[in-house]
Amino acid sequence: MARVVLDAARDHVIGVRTDDDALHPAHLVVVATGRTSRLPAGLLAGGLPAPDLLRVDGNLSYTSRVYRRDTASPPPWQASLQATLAPTARRGGTVVALEDERWLVCLFGADGQSAPTDPAGFSAYAASLANPHIKDVVSHAEPLGAIYRYGGLGGQWRRYDRIRPWPRGLAVLGDALCVLNPLYGHGMTVAAQQAVLLARMLDAHGPAACGHFQRRSARTLLLPWYLSTSLDLGWRPERAPVAALLARRYLARLLRRVPEDPELYRRFLAVQHMTASPLTLLAPSPRTRRGGARP
Ligand SMILES: Cc1cc2nc3c(=O)[nH]c(=O)nc-3n(C[C@H](O)[C@H](O)[C@H](O)COP(=O)(O)OP(=O)(O)OC[C@H]3O[C@@H](n4cnc5c(N)ncnc54)[C@H](O)[C@@H]3O)c2cc1C
Protein backbone atom coordinates (compact mmCIF):
# COMPACT_ATOMS: atom_id res chain seq x y z
CA MET A 1 0.00 0.00 0.00
CA ALA A 2 1.51 3.35 -1.06
CA ARG A 3 1.97 5.95 1.70
CA VAL A 4 2.24 9.71 1.46
CA VAL A 5 5.54 10.99 2.90
CA LEU A 6 5.84 14.46 4.46
CA ASP A 7 8.94 16.45 5.34
CA ALA A 8 10.13 16.40 8.97
CA ALA A 9 8.29 19.66 9.78
CA ARG A 10 5.06 18.23 8.22
CA ASP A 11 4.93 21.33 6.08
CA HIS A 12 4.80 19.73 2.62
CA VAL A 13 4.77 16.40 0.78
CA ILE A 14 8.04 15.00 -0.44
CA GLY A 15 6.65 11.94 -2.21
CA VAL A 16 5.02 8.55 -1.97
CA ARG A 17 6.59 5.42 -0.48
CA THR A 18 5.56 2.14 -2.08
CA ASP A 19 5.49 -1.35 -0.55
CA ASP A 20 9.03 -2.06 -1.72
CA ASP A 21 10.09 0.89 0.49
CA ALA A 22 11.11 2.98 -2.52
CA LEU A 23 10.44 6.71 -2.16
CA HIS A 24 8.98 8.32 -5.29
CA PRO A 25 9.66 12.07 -4.96
CA ALA A 26 6.75 14.41 -5.75
CA HIS A 27 5.73 18.03 -5.21
CA LEU A 28 2.07 17.13 -5.55
CA VAL A 29 0.21 14.02 -4.37
CA VAL A 30 -3.51 13.72 -5.14
CA VAL A 31 -5.25 11.10 -3.02
CA ALA A 32 -8.21 9.76 -5.03
CA THR A 33 -8.20 6.21 -3.73
CA GLY A 34 -11.91 5.95 -2.99
CA ARG A 35 -13.93 5.06 0.09
CA THR A 36 -11.31 2.66 1.49
CA SER A 37 -8.57 5.32 1.45
CA ARG A 38 -5.88 4.70 4.09
CA LEU A 39 -4.79 8.33 4.20
CA PRO A 40 -6.05 8.97 7.78
CA ALA A 41 -3.74 6.23 9.13
CA GLY A 42 -0.92 7.54 6.94
CA LEU A 43 -1.33 11.07 8.30
CA LEU A 44 -1.27 9.80 11.87
CA ALA A 45 1.90 7.83 11.15
CA GLY A 46 3.38 10.99 9.62
CA GLY A 47 2.64 13.01 12.77
CA LEU A 48 -0.51 14.86 11.64
CA PRO A 49 -3.88 14.39 13.35
CA ALA A 50 -6.40 12.04 11.73
CA PRO A 51 -9.35 13.99 10.30
CA ASP A 52 -12.63 14.27 12.21
CA LEU A 53 -15.01 11.68 10.81
CA LEU A 54 -18.71 12.43 10.26
CA ARG A 55 -20.83 9.33 9.65
CA VAL A 56 -24.53 8.96 8.97
CA ASP A 57 -25.91 5.52 8.33
CA GLY A 58 -29.59 4.88 7.60
CA ASN A 59 -28.79 1.16 7.30
CA LEU A 60 -29.79 1.20 3.63
CA SER A 61 -29.26 -1.32 0.87
CA TYR A 62 -30.18 -1.89 -2.70
CA THR A 63 -30.67 -5.10 -4.60
CA SER A 64 -30.60 -5.11 -8.40
CA ARG A 65 -31.41 -7.26 -11.41
CA VAL A 66 -31.40 -6.63 -15.15
CA TYR A 67 -34.34 -7.71 -17.36
CA ARG A 68 -35.05 -7.82 -21.10
CA ARG A 69 -37.13 -4.85 -22.31
CA ASP A 70 -39.84 -5.64 -24.83
CA THR A 71 -39.54 -2.90 -27.45
CA ALA A 72 -42.60 -4.09 -29.41
CA SER A 73 -45.01 -2.53 -26.90
CA PRO A 74 -42.97 0.02 -24.87
CA PRO A 75 -44.66 1.71 -21.89
CA PRO A 76 -45.04 5.52 -22.03
CA TRP A 77 -42.25 6.06 -19.44
CA GLN A 78 -38.48 5.52 -19.21
CA ALA A 79 -38.09 5.28 -15.46
CA SER A 80 -40.31 4.86 -12.45
CA LEU A 81 -39.50 5.35 -8.78
CA GLN A 82 -40.91 4.62 -5.36
CA ALA A 83 -38.78 6.45 -2.81
CA THR A 84 -37.99 5.29 0.69
CA LEU A 85 -38.74 8.00 3.21
CA ALA A 86 -38.23 8.08 6.96
CA PRO A 87 -39.81 7.37 9.31
CA THR A 88 -42.17 4.80 7.79
CA ALA A 89 -41.49 4.04 4.10
CA ARG A 90 -38.72 1.45 4.51
CA ARG A 91 -39.21 -0.14 1.09
CA GLY A 92 -38.81 1.41 -2.32
CA GLY A 93 -37.41 0.77 -5.74
CA THR A 94 -36.82 1.98 -9.23
CA VAL A 95 -37.02 0.61 -12.74
CA VAL A 96 -34.97 2.35 -15.43
CA ALA A 97 -34.68 1.70 -19.19
CA LEU A 98 -31.09 0.77 -20.13
CA GLU A 99 -29.37 0.59 -23.51
CA ASP A 100 -29.63 -2.68 -25.52
CA GLU A 101 -33.33 -3.17 -24.72
CA ARG A 102 -32.90 -3.84 -21.02
CA TRP A 103 -34.47 -2.74 -17.73
CA LEU A 104 -32.55 -2.21 -14.51
CA VAL A 105 -34.65 -2.88 -11.42
CA CYS A 106 -33.27 -1.77 -8.03
CA LEU A 107 -35.18 -2.57 -4.85
CA PHE A 108 -34.31 -0.30 -1.93
CA GLY A 109 -34.47 -1.06 1.76
CA ALA A 110 -33.94 1.34 4.64
CA ASP A 111 -33.56 1.00 8.38
CA GLY A 112 -32.37 -2.59 8.07
CA GLN A 113 -34.86 -3.78 5.44
CA SER A 114 -33.31 -5.34 2.34
CA ALA A 115 -34.68 -7.20 -0.66
CA PRO A 116 -33.64 -10.87 -0.84
CA THR A 117 -31.20 -12.04 -3.52
CA ASP A 118 -33.12 -15.21 -4.41
CA PRO A 119 -35.58 -14.85 -7.34
CA ALA A 120 -38.72 -15.71 -5.35
CA GLY A 121 -37.82 -13.36 -2.50
CA PHE A 122 -36.87 -10.58 -4.95
CA SER A 123 -40.24 -10.93 -6.74
CA ALA A 124 -42.16 -10.97 -3.46
CA TYR A 125 -40.39 -7.79 -2.30
CA ALA A 126 -41.20 -6.08 -5.65
CA ALA A 127 -44.83 -7.20 -5.32
CA SER A 128 -45.01 -5.62 -1.86
CA LEU A 129 -44.39 -2.13 -3.36
CA ALA A 130 -47.20 0.19 -4.35
CA ASN A 131 -45.42 1.10 -7.63
CA PRO A 132 -47.14 -0.90 -10.41
CA HIS A 133 -44.31 -0.51 -12.96
CA ILE A 134 -41.66 -2.21 -10.82
CA LYS A 135 -44.03 -5.07 -10.01
CA ASP A 136 -44.97 -5.44 -13.66
CA VAL A 137 -41.38 -5.65 -14.97
CA VAL A 138 -40.28 -8.09 -12.26
CA SER A 139 -43.27 -10.37 -12.78
CA HIS A 140 -43.40 -10.33 -16.61
CA ALA A 141 -39.96 -9.50 -18.07
CA GLU A 142 -37.24 -12.07 -18.71
CA PRO A 143 -34.38 -11.82 -16.17
CA LEU A 144 -30.94 -11.41 -17.79
CA GLY A 145 -28.62 -12.20 -14.92
CA ALA A 146 -28.07 -12.74 -11.24
CA ILE A 147 -29.41 -10.58 -8.41
CA TYR A 148 -26.86 -8.40 -6.61
CA ARG A 149 -27.18 -6.63 -3.30
CA TYR A 150 -25.11 -3.68 -2.07
CA GLY A 151 -25.29 -2.65 1.57
CA GLY A 152 -23.39 -0.26 3.79
CA LEU A 153 -24.75 2.77 1.95
CA GLY A 154 -24.03 5.29 4.66
CA GLY A 155 -22.36 8.68 4.25
CA GLN A 156 -18.88 9.40 5.55
CA TRP A 157 -17.05 12.73 5.47
CA ARG A 158 -13.44 13.03 6.53
CA ARG A 159 -12.92 16.66 7.52
CA TYR A 160 -9.42 17.23 6.14
CA ASP A 161 -10.40 20.90 5.83
CA ARG A 162 -10.20 21.17 9.63
CA ILE A 163 -6.55 20.07 9.83
CA ARG A 164 -4.43 23.21 10.13
CA PRO A 165 -1.83 23.73 8.92
CA TRP A 166 -2.39 21.45 5.94
CA PRO A 167 0.73 20.17 4.14
CA ARG A 168 1.53 21.89 0.87
CA GLY A 169 1.21 19.59 -2.16
CA LEU A 170 -1.32 17.14 -0.66
CA ALA A 171 -4.87 17.06 -2.05
CA VAL A 172 -7.69 14.64 -1.21
CA LEU A 173 -10.85 14.36 -3.30
CA GLY A 174 -13.72 12.10 -4.34
CA ASP A 175 -14.81 9.29 -2.07
CA ALA A 176 -11.46 9.44 -0.26
CA LEU A 177 -12.71 12.78 1.06
CA CYS A 178 -16.46 12.24 1.31
CA VAL A 179 -18.62 9.21 0.60
CA LEU A 180 -22.19 10.22 -0.17
CA ASN A 181 -24.95 7.66 0.09
CA PRO A 182 -25.10 6.36 -3.53
CA LEU A 183 -28.90 6.19 -3.39
CA TYR A 184 -28.93 9.93 -4.10
CA GLY A 185 -26.53 9.66 -7.06
CA HIS A 186 -24.26 12.61 -6.21
CA GLY A 187 -20.86 10.93 -5.77
CA MET A 188 -19.55 11.17 -9.33
CA THR A 189 -20.83 14.73 -9.81
CA VAL A 190 -19.13 15.88 -6.63
CA ALA A 191 -15.87 14.07 -7.46
CA ALA A 192 -15.85 15.67 -10.93
CA GLN A 193 -16.56 19.13 -9.47
CA GLN A 194 -13.64 18.72 -7.08
CA ALA A 195 -11.31 17.57 -9.88
CA VAL A 196 -12.18 20.69 -11.91
CA LEU A 197 -11.73 22.93 -8.88
CA LEU A 198 -8.36 21.38 -8.04
CA ALA A 199 -7.13 21.73 -11.63
CA ARG A 200 -8.07 25.43 -11.67
CA MET A 201 -6.47 26.13 -8.31
CA LEU A 202 -3.27 24.27 -9.20
CA ASP A 203 -3.05 26.15 -12.50
CA ALA A 204 -3.38 29.45 -10.67
CA HIS A 205 -1.33 28.84 -7.51
CA GLY A 206 0.54 25.52 -7.78
CA PRO A 207 0.81 22.99 -4.90
CA ALA A 208 0.55 25.81 -2.33
CA ALA A 209 -3.19 25.91 -3.12
CA CYS A 210 -3.89 22.49 -1.58
CA GLY A 211 -4.96 23.71 1.90
CA HIS A 212 -7.28 26.25 0.35
CA PHE A 213 -8.59 23.53 -1.99
CA GLN A 214 -9.58 21.32 0.98
CA ARG A 215 -11.51 24.20 2.54
CA ARG A 216 -13.27 25.16 -0.70
CA SER A 217 -14.14 21.51 -1.37
CA ALA A 218 -15.70 21.34 2.07
CA ARG A 219 -17.94 24.29 1.22
CA THR A 220 -19.09 22.64 -2.04
CA LEU A 221 -19.82 19.43 -0.13
CA LEU A 222 -22.19 21.08 2.35
CA LEU A 223 -25.23 20.95 0.05
CA PRO A 224 -24.97 17.32 -1.18
CA TRP A 225 -24.00 16.18 2.31
CA TYR A 226 -27.03 17.80 3.92
CA LEU A 227 -29.34 16.70 1.09
CA SER A 228 -28.50 13.05 1.60
CA THR A 229 -27.90 12.94 5.34
CA SER A 230 -31.06 14.91 6.24
CA LEU A 231 -33.02 12.03 4.78
CA ASP A 232 -30.86 9.28 6.25
CA LEU A 233 -30.95 10.88 9.70
CA GLY A 234 -34.71 10.37 9.59
CA TRP A 235 -34.09 6.74 10.48
CA ARG A 236 -32.32 7.94 13.63
CA PRO A 237 -34.77 10.65 14.81
CA GLU A 238 -33.04 10.99 18.16
CA ARG A 239 -29.93 12.25 16.31
CA ALA A 240 -31.62 14.44 13.71
CA PRO A 241 -31.09 18.20 14.06
CA VAL A 242 -34.15 20.42 13.58
CA ALA A 243 -32.94 21.47 10.10
CA ALA A 244 -32.88 17.82 9.03
CA LEU A 245 -36.41 17.25 10.35
CA LEU A 246 -37.69 20.31 8.48
CA ALA A 247 -35.87 19.27 5.28
CA ARG A 248 -37.42 15.80 5.49
CA ARG A 249 -40.91 17.15 6.08
CA TYR A 250 -40.50 19.47 3.10
CA LEU A 251 -39.23 16.64 0.91
CA ALA A 252 -42.14 14.39 1.88
CA ARG A 253 -44.58 17.08 0.72
CA LEU A 254 -42.57 17.65 -2.45
CA LEU A 255 -42.54 13.94 -3.33
CA ARG A 256 -46.32 13.77 -2.86
CA ARG A 257 -46.74 16.64 -5.36
CA VAL A 258 -44.17 15.54 -7.95
CA PRO A 259 -46.21 12.77 -9.69
CA GLU A 260 -48.96 15.33 -10.47
CA ASP A 261 -46.70 18.21 -11.51
CA PRO A 262 -44.19 17.59 -14.36
CA GLU A 263 -42.74 21.12 -14.10
CA LEU A 264 -42.01 20.66 -10.39
CA TYR A 265 -40.52 17.24 -11.17
CA ARG A 266 -38.15 18.79 -13.74
CA ARG A 267 -36.95 21.31 -11.18
CA PHE A 268 -36.59 18.58 -8.56
CA LEU A 269 -34.43 16.55 -10.98
CA ALA A 270 -32.23 19.58 -11.72
CA VAL A 271 -31.62 20.01 -7.97
CA GLN A 272 -31.05 16.28 -7.60
CA HIS A 273 -28.49 16.41 -10.44
CA MET A 274 -26.87 19.46 -8.83
CA THR A 275 -27.43 21.65 -11.88
CA ALA A 276 -29.82 23.98 -10.01
CA SER A 277 -30.04 25.44 -6.51
CA PRO A 278 -32.62 23.97 -4.08
CA LEU A 279 -34.02 27.52 -3.91
CA THR A 280 -35.50 26.97 -7.40
CA LEU A 281 -37.96 24.57 -5.76
CA LEU A 282 -39.47 27.42 -3.79
CA ALA A 283 -40.73 29.24 -6.89
CA PRO A 284 -44.39 28.47 -7.58
CA SER A 285 -44.92 26.12 -10.51
CA PRO A 286 -47.63 26.83 -13.14
CA ARG A 287 -50.00 24.46 -11.31
CA THR A 288 -49.44 26.26 -8.02
CA ARG A 289 -50.05 29.59 -9.73
CA ARG A 290 -53.38 28.20 -10.91
CA GLY A 291 -54.42 27.69 -7.31
CA GLY A 292 -52.68 24.56 -5.97
CA ALA A 293 -50.64 24.51 -2.76
CA ARG A 294 -46.87 24.93 -2.72
CA PRO A 295 -44.93 21.83 -1.72
C1 LIG B 1 -23.24 0.66 -5.45
C2 LIG B 1 -22.87 2.08 -5.78
C3 LIG B 1 -23.68 2.81 -6.65
C4 LIG B 1 -23.36 4.13 -6.96
N1 LIG B 1 -24.18 4.83 -7.80
C5 LIG B 1 -23.88 6.11 -8.10
C6 LIG B 1 -24.68 6.86 -9.00
O1 LIG B 1 -25.69 6.39 -9.51
N2 LIG B 1 -24.31 8.14 -9.28
C7 LIG B 1 -23.19 8.71 -8.72
O2 LIG B 1 -22.87 9.86 -9.01
N3 LIG B 1 -22.42 8.02 -7.87
C8 LIG B 1 -22.72 6.74 -7.55
N4 LIG B 1 -21.92 6.04 -6.69
C9 LIG B 1 -20.78 6.73 -6.08
C10 LIG B 1 -19.60 6.79 -7.04
O3 LIG B 1 -19.30 5.48 -7.51
C11 LIG B 1 -18.40 7.35 -6.30
O4 LIG B 1 -18.76 8.55 -5.65
C12 LIG B 1 -17.26 7.64 -7.27
O5 LIG B 1 -16.89 6.45 -7.92
C13 LIG B 1 -16.08 8.21 -6.50
O6 LIG B 1 -14.99 8.30 -7.36
P1 LIG B 1 -13.50 8.19 -6.79
O7 LIG B 1 -12.64 8.31 -7.99
O8 LIG B 1 -13.33 9.12 -5.66
O9 LIG B 1 -13.38 6.73 -6.15
P2 LIG B 1 -13.45 5.31 -6.86
O10 LIG B 1 -14.37 5.32 -8.01
O11 LIG B 1 -13.70 4.33 -5.74
O12 LIG B 1 -11.98 5.11 -7.43
C14 LIG B 1 -10.87 4.93 -6.59
C15 LIG B 1 -9.86 4.10 -7.36
O13 LIG B 1 -8.60 4.12 -6.67
C16 LIG B 1 -8.06 2.81 -6.72
N5 LIG B 1 -7.12 2.68 -5.60
C17 LIG B 1 -7.40 2.53 -4.29
N6 LIG B 1 -6.26 2.47 -3.58
C18 LIG B 1 -5.25 2.61 -4.46
C19 LIG B 1 -3.82 2.65 -4.34
N7 LIG B 1 -3.21 2.55 -3.16
N8 LIG B 1 -3.09 2.80 -5.45
C20 LIG B 1 -3.69 2.92 -6.66
N9 LIG B 1 -5.02 2.90 -6.84
C21 LIG B 1 -5.79 2.75 -5.75
C22 LIG B 1 -9.27 1.91 -6.61
O14 LIG B 1 -8.97 0.61 -7.09
C23 LIG B 1 -10.27 2.64 -7.50
O15 LIG B 1 -10.14 2.27 -8.84
C24 LIG B 1 -22.21 4.72 -6.38
C25 LIG B 1 -21.39 3.98 -5.51
C26 LIG B 1 -21.73 2.68 -5.20
C27 LIG B 1 -20.83 1.92 -4.26
Side-chain angles (χ1 to χ4, degrees):
M1 181 60 62
R3 290 190 319 278
V4 175
V5 183
L6 305 178
D7 71 316
R10 300 184 285 277
D11 168 69
H12 59 273
V13 293
I14 54 175
V16 170
R17 194 178 297 284
T18 43
D19 282 344
D20 56 5
D21 214 30
L23 176 66
H24 304 269
H27 296 297
L28 173 70
V29 175
V30 179
V31 178
T33 45
R35 58 174 57 211
T36 55
S37 162
R38 305 264 177 93
L39 183 63
L43 288 183
L44 272 178
L48 280 178
D52 296 340
L53 177 65
L54 306 184
R55 269 189 70 81
V56 173
D57 190 354
N59 208 356
L60 301 144
S61 69
Y62 64 68
T63 311
S64 313
R65 194 173 205 187
V66 174
Y67 292 82
R68 188 177 308 285
R69 185 155 48 96
D70 177 9
T71 47
S73 52
W77 46 268
Q78 293 281 313
S80 186
L81 166 77
Q82 179 174 332
T84 57
L85 196 61
T88 52
R90 291 181 170 75
R91 292 185 174 201
T94 179
V95 52
V96 182
L98 296 183
E99 64 280 9
D100 301 329
E101 283 94 48
R102 295 174 305 156
W103 293 115
L104 173 63
V105 173
C106 294
L107 301 181
F108 308 142
D111 198 25
Q113 290 263 328
S114 59
T117 52
D118 65 286
F122 189 82
S123 299
Y125 195 97
S128 74
L129 301 179
N131 182 307
H133 306 133
I134 300 171
K135 271 191 252 201
D136 190 50
V137 168
V138 171
S139 51
H140 295 114
E142 177 196 347
L144 291 178
I147 300 171
Y148 296 96
R149 180 161 63 210
Y150 199 96
L153 295 181
Q156 169 182 289
W157 186 358
R158 293 179 170 123
R159 299 300 305 258
Y160 292 107
D161 55 298
R162 293 178 179 168
I163 299 180
R164 310 273 178 91
W166 180 253
R168 182 159 40 91
L170 178 61
V172 194
L173 49 71
D175 279 13
L177 171 60
C178 182
V179 178
L180 296 162
N181 181 342
L183 274 183
Y184 307 107
H186 289 150
M188 286 187 277
T189 308
V190 164
Q193 283 178 337
Q194 290 164 359
V196 170
L197 176 65
L198 179 62
R200 284 198 190 125
M201 293 181 73
L202 288 173
D203 278 349
H205 307 289
C210 288
H212 193 202
F213 165 75
Q214 296 306 147
R215 294 189 286 282
R216 279 190 61 183
S217 297
R219 287 202 291 277
T220 61
L221 275 167
L222 282 174
L223 177 61
W225 175 258
Y226 284 114
L227 275 178
S228 64
T229 58
S230 299
L231 298 177
D232 291 352
L233 277 170
W235 301 109
R236 301 280 170 275
E238 71 285 357
R239 290 184 49 204
V242 174
L245 294 172
L246 291 175
R248 202 175 67 244
R249 197 172 305 163
Y250 180 80
L251 194 83
R253 292 174 63 188
L254 184 76
L255 288 177
R256 274 198 297 275
R257 291 267 323 276
V258 147
E260 314 296 328
D261 191 337
E263 151 66 12
L264 184 63
Y265 179 56
R266 259 178 234 114
R267 279 191 272 150
F268 173 66
L269 276 189
V271 172
Q272 178 70 15
H273 294 159
M274 299 182 65
T275 55
S277 154
L279 294 177
T280 57
L281 291 171
L282 298 177
S285 68
R287 275 172 188 253
T288 312
R289 284 196 287 270
R290 285 199 299 270
R294 283 189 193 204

